Amino acid sequence: MNKFSLLFEQFVRLLQLVGIPLFGTMFVLGIVILLTSGKNPWRRRLGYIMTITCFFGVLGVAYAPAIVYTYENEVPLYLAKYKTVNTMVDGSTMVGNLLFKGLWYATVPICATIFYVGGIIRLQAAKNPQRARLGWGLMMFSPIVLGVAYVVPSLLSLL
């Protein structure tokens, strides 16, 4: 391997280790802003834009090595000596595994807390429909975030 390919692999590894958690966090923040926007058009627009762009940002960062490798090399990935993108980039480094495991251990209590806070907000809403929707949204959103936090590292390890 030449120096350029090693430099490219290190750049892709850094991009994945930093970009995926960053875009994922901004995606979740965009959904929270969207849920709490109420009738404010500026916050609603910000939530929509953050949700859509950060979703495609996560996909772009996750699949960039496969796309670049497919279009830059003469030999397709399935015929090359690297059988998966994981072996090409060596994406399952010790740092990546520790990062995903730490993310999982941090996500479980945060999602449980969000669920209980949503239940408390819902019970205290009385006749305020906006607060009732906020409570229901938090209660429904927390299991989805927990599922995403569990599925995304598994999917990325298969990449």
Side-chain angles (χ1 to χ4, degrees), residues 2 13 16 31 45-46 48 69 76 91-92 96 101 111 123 125 135 144 155-156:
N2 58 13
R13 183 178 295 130
Q16 286 180 339
I31 290 177
R45 185 177 302 133
L46 177 68
Y48 279 133
Y69 188 83
S92 62
K101 192 63 83 173
C111 287
L123 291 173
I144 295 171
L155 290 178
L156 289 177

Side-chain angles (χ1 to χ4, degrees), residues 3-136:
K3 283 189 170 190
F4 178 73
S5 66
L6 291 174
L7 182 67
F8 175 72
E9 287 179 10
Q10 292 296 325
F11 173 72
V12 169
R13 183 178 295 130
L14 176 69
L15 185 69
Q16 286 180 339
L17 287 174
V18 174
I20 291 173
L22 178 71
F23 280 121
T25 304
M26 291 186 62
F27 174 73
V28 170
L29 183 65
I31 290 177
V32 169
I33 289 173
L34 188 60
L35 283 174
T36 60
S37 66
K39 292 185 178 183
N40 189 345
W42 294 99
R43 287 189 67 182
R44 185 178 298 153
R45 185 177 302 133
L46 177 68
Y48 279 133
I49 290 172
M50 281 181 68
T51 303
I52 293 169
T53 56
C54 292
F55 175 74
F56 287 117
V58 168
L59 289 179
V61 169
Y63 291 109
I67 294 169
V68 169
Y69 188 83
T70 301
Y71 290 111
E72 288 296 320
N73 292 332
E74 299 83 22
V75 180
L77 185 62
Y78 60 89
L79 295 176
K81 65 179 180 176
Y82 303 113
K83 293 297 180 189
T84 63
V85 177
N86 195 11
T87 57
M88 181 187 86
V89 182
D90 193 24
S92 62
T93 59
M94 195 65 176
V95 175
N97 289 336
L98 288 174
L99 179 71
F100 284 134
K101 192 63 83 173
L103 179 70
W104 173 248
Y105 286 133
T107 303
V108 172
I110 290 172
C111 287
T113 305
I114 287 174
F115 182 81
Y116 290 129
V117 167
I120 291 170
I121 289 173
R122 171 63 189 105
L123 291 173
Q124 291 180 346
K127 293 189 179 196
N128 189 350
Q130 183 176 354
R131 285 183 59 93
R133 282 193 301 269
L134 176 64
W136 280 117

